[in-house]
Amino acid sequence: MGEFKVHRVRFFDYMPTAIRAMAFNAHTERLALGRMDGSVEIFNFADRYFQEKVIPGKDSRSIEALCWVGGRLFSAGLNGEITEYDLETLRPKYSLEAYGGPIWTITSNSQGAHLAIGCEDGTVKLFEVLEESIQFERNLDRQKGRIISLSWHPSGTQIAAGMMDMIRVFDVPTGRAVQRLLVDRGFGGSKSRETVVWSVVFLSDCTIISGDSAGKVQVWDGHTGTLVKTHLVTKWDVLALSVSKDESSVVVGTSEGTVIQFQFIAPTLQQQQDKEWVRTRTFKNHTHDVRALAEIETAIVSGGMDTQLVVRPLLEKFDERSHASALRKIQFPHRNLVFCAKKAGLLLFQFPGQLELWRLGESDGHGKPGDSLPLKRKPEKLLHLKRKGEDHICCSALSSCGGWLAYSTMSSVRLYRLQTDNNDISISKVPKLPKILRSAHQLCFSSDSSKLFAASSQSSVLVIALSQSECKYVHTLKPKSGSRQPIHLMTNSVDGKWLATANSDCEIHVYNVQKLKLHCIVPVYGSCPSAMGIHPTTNNLTMVHADQQIFEYSIVEKQYTDWSRKLQKQGLHNLWLDRDTPVTHVTFNPKNPEQILLHDMHMFCIIDQSLPLPDQKTQFYNQMTLRSLSEQERPSHLHAFKICKTFQDLLSVSLLDDQSLVMVERPLLAITCQLPAPVRQKKFAT
Amino acid sequence: MATLFEGFTLCGLVQTSSASDSAIQGIELDGDSDHAVVTDSTRAVTLYKVSDQKPLGSWTVKQGQLLTCPAVFNFQTKEYVVVSDNKVIRVWKEEDLNLDKAFKATVSADVWRVHSAPGGELVVLFQRGAVRLLDSLLSAPQQPIEGILSEKEVIRWSTNIVAEKQHFVLFTTEQRGEHFLYVQRLNPNTLQKYRLEREDSGASPLSFSASLRDKHINLLYLYPNGCVYQSVVAVRGPVGLEGVQALPRSLRLRLPVGEGELGAASAVALDEAHVAVVGMPHPSARTGKDFLCIWNTNFQTLQAGKEMVGRIRGQVWCYLGKLFVPHGKALSVIPYECQKSSLASALGKLRHPGIAVSKSSVAIPSWNTLLHGDQPQGPTKIVDTRKSKLRRKSQSAPALTVDQVLELIKTGPVEEVRREVEALVSRGDAQDLQLSVGRLACQLVARSQVETAFYAPGALARLVQTQCLCHSMCPDLLLLALEHKDYFLCQLCLQLFPDIPEVVTCACLKTFIGVPDGDVEMVSLEPDSVSFMEGLVAAGARGGQQNGFSPPLFEDSCDPHHQPKPPQHQDKKNPTLQLEVCPVGLHKAVLLNEVLQTPYSDNLLVPHLKDLNAPQVILFLQYLQFIYLKYSQDVYTQTPVLRSPTMTQIIDWVCLLLDAHFTVLVMAPDAKGLLSNLQSFVKSQVKLFSELGKIEGSLQELHKMKPSKDISQYSIEVIELF
């Protein structure tokens, strides 16, 4: 197959932010995740936990809690505002000042008619959920001290509120506090510190379960206001609680990074009637605070300060081993943050607050496989471009010649002209962008850098013509389907004729850019495409979906290619299908049209379409075997999937025009190193 | 090291009428490793389960019949075989209840023994020396049996050995005071006869023991004078040599016999380095010969000893890590363990490494010289060489032989004895120096013990300085020196003996602590150790001066004969000052240092440490504290050449003392300050180690990080895909 020169890049200091809140919508199987920087991510749990949408953050926004009402997503934060998000335009629909100081929590009743928020000033405010907005209804009896956590009784008539040192139960119709449950303080030195009831849940049998800063999980009888049972689970804080749908299990997240499950079971086999809450399992998948938790049908989803989302399947709910029963950690976003100018050898790194442009190093040496070559020129950071405004960057693009750079925030798009001669770089902002170009979900330059494509609302694409002197709006490409979902993937062909877009409805549209019209719609497949690319010579569109399926579609012939049919007929290898991170990039080798280059977080793969496809009995990861075989024996063992796992924690793989690969790694260890210190735990001999 | 564990009684013994006869004819193994087949001297064979100490079965012959050979187990057919009335061979199984109903065959000649070994067939040895396989004999019981031995020749001992599929029957005979060894090979049958060397006294060997090692049969035999000899017969020896050959022997061990000769004693080889001996006196116990001892033949040291109650009949069997010893009215089973002997284990714990190399090297290789006749090499007697050369020159008169000197010691005056001993030692050939030095020392000690007026410190010191002496060779020497308050000799012994028992170490310690300072200060001690101690005391004093203190001790501390004032005279309100002052006199401290450096094992030492009384313990602890403090101070740098206790030794001793006397110390009011000081030391040590642990952790992390170092922020690499 051959040798490749690899630029192994580890200087992209990508740093995800901590997870603060989580809400699972069991109806749509979507998980909304709120991060510390105010961004919201939507994961489709029905589609291999694919990160479907990202609503970029904003400096002034903070998310303390998230809440679904039907298909609508609300958040509340310490800035005192309630925000509803528009999941089609990926931006806040509106924000509402609650006038109660910082808001600690937001929760809706099971009927979906009301929202309750807990405020710093001690009020629980009820909002009525209207068709298009929400409206303040009334305050419940104001208490002394902030309201940290809230939970509706499923009937909607009572609310339990976690406060400092106590839990209040309110009667919703009258607004009166009917119970006052005092929560003990911690022992020893923490006696003088107030206990914060970080989380409460109100069960339908009027049991209240609370988790507090003294490390206790307490079970209360809501009728009488008496303490039933105290479980001391940690020396630190119990931060999050989540109850399963059938109320038979409660999971608890602690500052130690553990998730502890309690189950409502009979302690002995004889007395099946006398059930009680028993601590059953402890999971330790986090190193830091577990701030957000959700117990879904078959798994416990947790996230916290260590930035990763962990889906821990409950194995008793599975009959057989499959990809769904495997522990899954989602560490990297499922979209590109790295853009490569193939001709110029430049890399663009996208951060929420800035862009970085780097020039790759050079080496003129040659070496054996496995060698590191001596560097003639070190990589160089050419540009550090800070965003304007308080909205975070949601997408960016770099033209392949390295002459153009664009980024978009929620409120504006900015385009820059880059000029590099030798070591000097000059950047100039292109003024007077067309008015219609307000914001974009995706940006992409045509390969000859003459056009800029910007994915706009309702799956439409704006075509902007670029020239030295001006930039001009050309056309808006609109899908026929009338989908309102945002575009999350966009790619164009090298010959400049085709543009393909994919949206969250799993639709893939192919436009003829020269004729400025829709060329065709690829048959919709049930899983969201996670990466796609158009072949430079054959103009075949290769798509990889979140469920790891690969399709190749001939744009010209408007049908799947023979290779794709063969692949679907034979089926992909199980080891390929069981991988737990989606392919995030598809690219091609212009020198060798048979080759498709793919990568996910843990591997890099070259598919050689000229070679036979592996069947289930073939050894799938066969590079080591091939290496050990002699030249003559090798051909009989070759198959199409050539997988290299030398490079780990991959964020991007691209092939430069000089046939060298660029691998951008972000070692997880480096991310861990930058996290704040976890809570101190006594370990042996320390 | 070898250990004898707590034994247990397997069965009682019938008291026999005559003193020489034993109640037990033999003990053999069964198919089960936990079984033992015991044949008593009259009519009964009993099968025991050893661990349960209970009989599993017993078989007796009729009144009037007599068992004449120990019952053996046929490993192939799982049958027992015994001979009654010399001629009747009986074969039975474990299920058989009655011996009379068992298979019987009468043979035509008197049987001496039936021998059995795992993996070999049963062999019958007749009294006239003929050998038959049992199977072939039973097929034709009345076959004629030839006589091999001459008329007056009688078998004394026999055994069989299976080696490399070759079956041997060994037996020794006696004929008019001469002893012979016959080695009968079976299939093909050959017989080789060897003559054992005559012992000077003309005595007969007390016991034999044969073992197979490295394709050689090692025969070990013990004479009444305590000599244990070893002879080696090759398994593939010269076949078909005619006539009687002389059997070369080598002295493995010379046991201290005490008064008289050994009567009923027996030695059995446990492994290549260990010999178990019963019926000999213990070197430390003055009276009685009823001991079971394990000796290391390489180091000539006593490894373990146990007194057996009641008369020992000179019988011992050794099977699978257990010794079977009939004594008094019981048959005892004593488990033992012989660890692979090594220099280190023979020397005991905590030998100062520097000294082990430079000084002890002579005492240890002595087994080499014994075995191979090598000249001692290396740093043998650096101190002595010059002196001895001088002496050799000046010595013109013919010197006396060892025996003459031994005679002289019995009667001669101290000065003459010293001179002759010195002459002998300085002339001494390395070859037999070891033996002669031991004999001389024993003789000297013996005379001193008898005549209280006679004490030859010079001669003894000279003998000790040869470094050919060790404690087990002359166990009374050190105690004698203590008795005579010869502290110089004590110091020498402590320095040079590798094998001082813990009880003696403790006795020395007790004496040293108890002795008034004034008594010791006049004694001249080894200069190196004294100067070390002076340095140590002076170092502290200098430090005091630097800090602005001028302790009264400082002015005189340069004088080596100065006796530091006891701590009671010091200002008690100044604890730091008090700690700075050595609580014992200089020479006393030197002696205590020697004790600190003596090898010991803590399990054995702690019980003896309990003999110390509270004031002694407190004083010793104070001294240890003092020396610990000195070591901890920066001013002290350990001089490698000087013999000095190490920090570990000091700490170990503190621990041992605390272990032994903890309750006493806690109750004693004057120990309070001391204990709290010690506690603070422990704290500081713990802190130090925890710091070190942290550093270690960090360094290990660095170590771990090393491989990932090469992956930098950016590199250009070449990969190959196939």
Side-chain angles (χ1 to χ4, degrees), chain A residues 68-70 72 108-115 128-130:
Chain A
W68 289 95
V69 177
R72 296 163 70 181
S108 74
N109 62 1
S110 57
Q111 294 76 27
H114 284 91
L115 285 173
E128 195 185 352
V129 181
L130 303 176

Side-chain angles (χ1 to χ4, degrees), chain A residues 99-356:
Chain A
Y99 301 106
I103 304 171
W104 287 95
T105 178
I106 181 166
T107 173
S108 74
N109 62 1
S110 57
Q111 294 76 27
H114 284 91
L115 285 173
I117 60 166
C119 301
E120 177 76 12
D121 68 354
T123 51
V124 176
K125 292 175 191 288
L126 293 187
F127 284 81
E128 195 185 352
V129 181
L130 303 176
E131 197 78 1
E132 279 300 313
S133 65
I134 54 171
Q135 193 175 32
F136 175 71
E137 194 175 275
R138 62 198 163 96
N139 282 338
L140 302 186
D141 276 3
R142 183 166 168 179
Q143 303 296 317
K144 261 189 194 165
R146 59 180 73 114
I147 309 284
I148 299 290
S149 49
L150 284 174
S151 178
W152 288 83
H153 185 266
S155 69
T157 53
Q158 285 192 319
I159 287 185
M163 301 175 62
M164 311 302 285
D165 282 338
M166 67 167 115
I167 300 166
R168 286 274 184 185
V169 179
F170 294 95
D171 185 51
V172 178
T174 61
R176 293 280 150 79
V178 291
Q179 294 283 1
R180 181 164 161 271
L181 319 176
L182 288 180
V183 178
D184 284 346
R185 293 190 176 179
F187 298 103
S190 50
K191 193 92 184 167
S192 56
R193 252 179 286 145
E194 286 181 309
T195 300
V196 186
V197 181
W198 283 119
S199 193
V200 286
V201 292
F202 207 160
L203 304 181
S204 44
D205 63 353
C206 273
T207 303
I208 297 171
I209 301 178
S210 67
D212 58 49
S213 63
K216 301 191 296 288
V217 173
Q218 293 184 312
V219 182
W220 309 82
D221 185 332
H223 293 300
T224 57
T226 48
L227 179 64
V228 178
K229 177 112 187 168
T230 298
H231 299 269
L232 187 65
V233 296
T234 172
K235 276 188 199 162
W236 307 93
D237 292 22
V238 173
L239 293 170
L241 277 175
S242 173
V243 66
S244 68
K245 210 175 168 187
D246 60 358
E247 298 191 347
S248 67
S249 156
V250 162
V251 285
V252 165
T254 71
S255 285
E256 283 169 340
T258 51
V259 173
I260 300 160
Q261 189 182 17
F262 289 83
Q263 280 173 297
F264 193 55
I265 48 176
T268 56
L269 281 173
Q270 285 77 40
Q271 298 155 314
Q272 288 294 338
Q273 299 312 311
D274 297 345
K275 288 191 176 177
E276 57 182 273
W277 287 97
V278 180
R279 176 176 170 163
T280 51
R281 276 177 290 196
T282 303
F283 307 106
K284 175 100 172 79
N285 294 313
H286 294 276
T287 55
H288 290 67
D289 293 7
V290 176
R291 302 292 295 267
L293 261 182
E295 183 170 357
I296 62 173
E297 196 65 34
T298 56
I300 297 169
V301 188
S302 55
M305 287 297 288
D306 62 358
T307 76
Q308 57 184 351
L309 178 68
V310 176
V311 182
R312 167 74 215 215
L314 296 168
L315 289 179
E316 74 271 15
K317 309 259 171 85
F318 292 94
D319 290 335
E320 54 185 329
R321 254 194 79 217
S322 69
H323 66 88
S325 67
L327 175 75
R328 188 175 291 246
K329 293 187 175 185
I330 299 168
Q331 283 128 340
F332 287 168
H334 293 161
R335 59 195 59 221
N336 280 322
L337 298 177
V338 179
F339 305 91
C340 180
K342 293 179 183 179
K343 288 184 190 129
L346 299 176
L347 285 178
L348 179 72
F349 299 144
Q350 176 190 322
F351 296 87
Q354 80 268 16
L355 296 172
E356 282 183 14

Side-chain angles (χ1 to χ4, degrees), chain B residues 160-174:
Chain B
N160 72 332
I161 280 179
V162 179
E164 296 177 337
K165 294 173 186 162
Q166 180 78 47
H167 204 143
F168 293 88
V169 178
L170 276 74
F171 56 97
T172 58
T173 62
E174 184 179 3

